[in-house]
Amino acid sequence: MNLSGLSFDNIPPFEVPMRFFIMASFFGILCAIILALGGQGLWFSRWNPYTLALTHALVLGVFTMVMCGAMLQLISVLGGRSVSRVQLIATTSLFGLSIGTLILIGGFILSESWLIATAFAIVVSSIGLVVVALLFSIGVPNAQQHSLTVMRLAIGSLLLLLLIASLLICEHFFDGTLNQRKQLTNAHAAMGLAGWISLLIMAVSFQVLPMFHVAPSFPIIAQRLLPKLLFSTLIARFLLAIANNSSAGLAAVDVVITLSLIVYALVTIRVIYRRKRKIPDHSIILWYLGLTTLSVMMLLSLLPSSIAPTPVALGALFCFGWVLSIILAMLVKMAPFLAYIHLQRQCGCNLDAFSILPNVYQLLSKPKIKYLLISHGVSFILLITTLCSQSLYQLFGLSLLIEFSYLAVILFGVSAHYKQVSRQISQLN
Amino acid sequence: MLALEIDVSELEAPEPMRVILSTLTSLTRQQQLIVRHRQQPFPLYHKLRELGFDYQVRQHDEHYLITISHGD
C-alpha cells in the first residue's frame, strides 16, 4: 500500500459515516422481520413479493447504506480532497435512501406499482446526490490510485444498475413494450451484486487489507485487470440482455464474470495468508468465510441448471455469505479506526492529549468482535439449514435479528466511547 | 544523544501512529526516537512538522528508519 496518496486532513466529521453504519444495522433488523413475515414461500421463488422486499432491504438498506457512508469517508482519505457540503449531502441522502427503501419494501410487499415508482424516484435522487458528490471529489485518479479507479467502475455499475431498474419499471407500467423482464432482472441483479457491490469491495480491499492486516499489496495485475475485466463483461452482459441476444452469448459472459470473481477470491485469500503478522483476528475469519463462500457458490453456479442450487439459494449465499461477511469485517475495523483518526486530529498540537488517545481495541474490544463473528457464523449455518429445509426460516430470522441488533449495540458503543474521549480532549485543549 | 528505538513495522493501522505519538509525549530534548516502519508514513511527517519535531528518513533493507528529535 502506498500511504503517499492518503490524506486525513479533509475527512468529514465522524458522525457522517457512523449514521449510515447505524442506519444499516436497523435495516438489517428490518430484514429479519421481513424474513419472519415472509414465510416459507420466500425461499421458493425470487418473484415472491417478500423475496423482492428482503433483497432490496438488504442490498439498499444494508449494503448500499454502509457503502455510501464508507465512500463519503474514504474518498476524502484516498483522494485527499474533501467532499463539498458533505454534511448536507450525507443527511439528505441518508434520509432519502432510508425513506425510499422503506417505501420500496412496502411497494413490493403490497404489490403497488405506484409505491415502487415513487420509491425508485426517491432512491435514485438520494444515491445520485452521493454519486455526483463523489465523482467531483475523485476527479481523475492517477495511475497509482487503483482503489479510486475501481471505485469509479463501481459507481459506473451503480449508474447502470439504476438505468436497468428504470427499464424494469417502464416494462412494468407499459407491459409488453419491452417484454424482457427476466433478462433485465438478471442484468439488474448481475450489475448490482457482481458490479456495484463486488467492485466496491475490491476497491476497498486493495487498501484495507494491507492497512489493517499488514498484508502485502495485491498483485498489480490483479488490481488493474480484474476490475476492468469484470466491469466490461458486465456491460457486455447488459447489452446482450437489451439486444435480447441468444442464451449462448449470455452464458459465455456469465462464465467470465464467475471466473473473475473466483480469481479475485483466490488472490485475496493468498494476500491474506501472506500477511506478516499472523495474530488471531476475528475479522480475518470473516474475510475467509466471505471469500470461501464466494468461490464455492460461484463454482456451484457453473453447474448444469438441473443440479445447480436455485437462484434464490445462490442469491442468499452471495448476500449473506459473501457480502455481509466482508461488510462486517470492514465495519469492525473501520469504525474504531475512524474514531481514532478524528480523536487524534482533535488533539491538534497538544502533546498531553495524545497520551489519553485510546487504541482501536479499547474503542471496540476483541471479545465484542468475537461475539459478532459467532453471531454471524450461527446465522450463516442457519441460512444453509433453511436452504435445505425451509420450515426452519424463523430460526434464521431470529439469528439475523440478534446479529444486527448486536451490530447496532457495537456501533453505538464506539460512538459513545468516541464522544467520551472527545470531551476529555476538549477539556485538555 | 540517547536513542530510543521502537519497531512499528508489524502493527496494523492506526497503531504505528498512536504508538509513535504516545512515545513522543515523553521524549526529552536529550533523546531521539528511531522508528522502524514498513513504509513511508506520510501522514506522520505532516503531524511531526505541526508539532515542531525534526525528522530524518533513511531506507534500511525493506524498512524505513525515521529518526525524530525535538526541533530547535
Side-chain angles (χ1 to χ4, degrees), chain A residues 368-380:
Chain A
K368 284 182 181 169
I369 302 174
K370 186 172 93 176
Y371 299 142
L372 185 67
L373 167 69
I374 292 170
S375 163
H376 182 63
V378 170
S379 295
F380 185 65

Side-chain angles (χ1 to χ4, degrees), chain A residues 13 50 88 91 131 155 169 181 191 261 264 292 315 352 382 392 416 419 421:
Chain A
Y50 282 93
L88 179 67
T91 308
V131 165
I155 291 172
I169 287 177
R181 192 173 174 201
M191 197 61 80
L261 288 171
Y264 167 75
T292 309
D352 291 334
L382 287 170
L392 295 169
K419 283 177 187 162
V421 180

Side-chain angles (χ1 to χ4, degrees), chain B:
Chain B
M1 192 172 265
L2 189 64
L4 299 176
E5 291 183 25
I6 52 171
D7 184 349
V8 297
S9 61
E10 293 191 0
L11 298 183
E12 65 188 52
E15 280 303 284
M17 180 75 112
R18 192 190 66 80
V19 170
I20 294 165
L21 292 176
S22 172
T23 311
L24 287 178
T25 59
S26 55
L27 191 76
T28 66
R29 289 197 167 270
Q30 288 72 43
Q31 293 174 320
Q32 60 182 12
L33 178 64
I34 301 172
V35 180
R36 185 181 169 86
H37 210 302
R38 66 181 177 277
Q39 64 211 351
Q40 288 259 41
F42 290 97
L44 172 71
Y45 300 154
H46 179 68
K47 197 77 200 170
L48 291 175
R49 283 193 294 271
E50 264 185 10
L51 293 167
F53 285 96
D54 288 338
Y55 64 89
Q56 288 179 325
V57 188
R58 66 179 196 278
Q59 201 164 0
H60 181 70
D61 299 332
E62 289 179 346
H63 292 91
Y64 292 90
L65 294 178
I66 305 139
T67 305
I68 307 169
S69 57
H70 281 274
D72 296 327

Side-chain angles (χ1 to χ4, degrees), chain A residues 31 41 63 78 82 106 113 138 145 150 152 193 230 245 247 252 266 289 309 322 339-340 361 374 394 426:
Chain A
C31 286
F63 301 161
L78 297 177
S82 59
S113 302
I138 291 176
Q145 292 176 305
V150 183
R152 281 166 66 106
L193 298 176
L230 184 56
N245 202 284
S247 56
L266 296 178
L289 174 63
W322 151 236
Y340 173 82
Y361 292 115
I374 292 170
Q394 281 175 325
S426 297

